[in-house]
Amino acid sequence: MISQIRGILIEKTPTEIIVDCHGVGYALFISMYTYSALPDIDQPVRLYSVLVPRETEVQLLGFIDKPERETFHLLTGISGIGPKTALGILSSVTIQELQSAIIKGDVRFLNQLHGVCKKMAERLL
């Protein structure tokens, strides 16, 4: 398991970055939350990560802090929510907004999140 990546940020887009770690460039999928907290290109960066093995590929996902990674794990533990949907949710709202909506039982708010249908919103609750 790869639990963190530390190196130099060499490329970034709102959905994916590349971090150079001693000459090896690691591509990581990220959320908008992480993207907004990233340093400039050619600056040091440290991300918490999750390695997701797939049938045809292995994906590495990066998170700017532990609470975002923990929320990702909680989301992907829900039936029907995969890594891409979880990153979409984390890109749509802050962790605090997500927690508040869940505590309030706000299905309408959750249903408006990226990739979340009414049934999935109910599962989130």
Side-chain angles (χ1 to χ4, degrees):
M1 182 164 139
I2 300 172
S3 63
Q4 87 162 3
I5 298 287
R6 186 175 62 192
I8 303 298
L9 183 63
I10 59 172
E11 289 184 29
K12 69 177 179 177
T13 70
T15 59
E16 189 176 355
I17 63 170
I18 298 178
V19 178
D20 182 305
C21 300
H22 303 287
V24 177
Y26 290 93
L28 296 97
F29 292 103
I30 58 169
S31 69
M32 284 300 296
Y33 173 76
T34 291
Y35 179 76
S36 66
L38 289 172
D40 292 332
I41 298 293
D42 294 327
Q43 296 298 312
V45 66
R46 175 185 176 193
L47 295 167
Y48 297 94
S49 62
V50 172
L51 187 67
V52 180
R54 294 283 184 202
E55 198 169 296
T56 59
E57 67 179 338
V58 176
Q59 298 175 337
L60 191 58
L61 293 85
F63 306 94
I64 201 68
D65 56 33
K66 284 184 179 181
E68 186 187 24
R69 183 174 66 178
E70 291 168 9
T71 304
F72 173 84
H73 282 302
L74 290 172
L75 289 171
T76 56
I78 297 169
S79 177
I81 299 181
K84 292 285 187 181
T85 301
L87 280 181
I89 292 169
L90 291 169
S91 291
S92 301
V93 294
T94 66
I95 294 170
Q96 293 78 16
E97 290 170 331
L98 181 61
Q99 289 172 338
S100 177
I102 291 170
I103 290 168
K104 292 176 186 174
D106 192 346
V107 174
R108 178 178 279 161
F109 177 83
L110 296 172
N111 191 36
Q112 295 173 1
L113 300 178
H114 177 76
V116 177
C117 63
K118 185 177 180 188
K119 227 178 211 184
M120 194 177 297
E122 291 169 353
R123 282 191 220 129
L124 279 166
L125 298 178

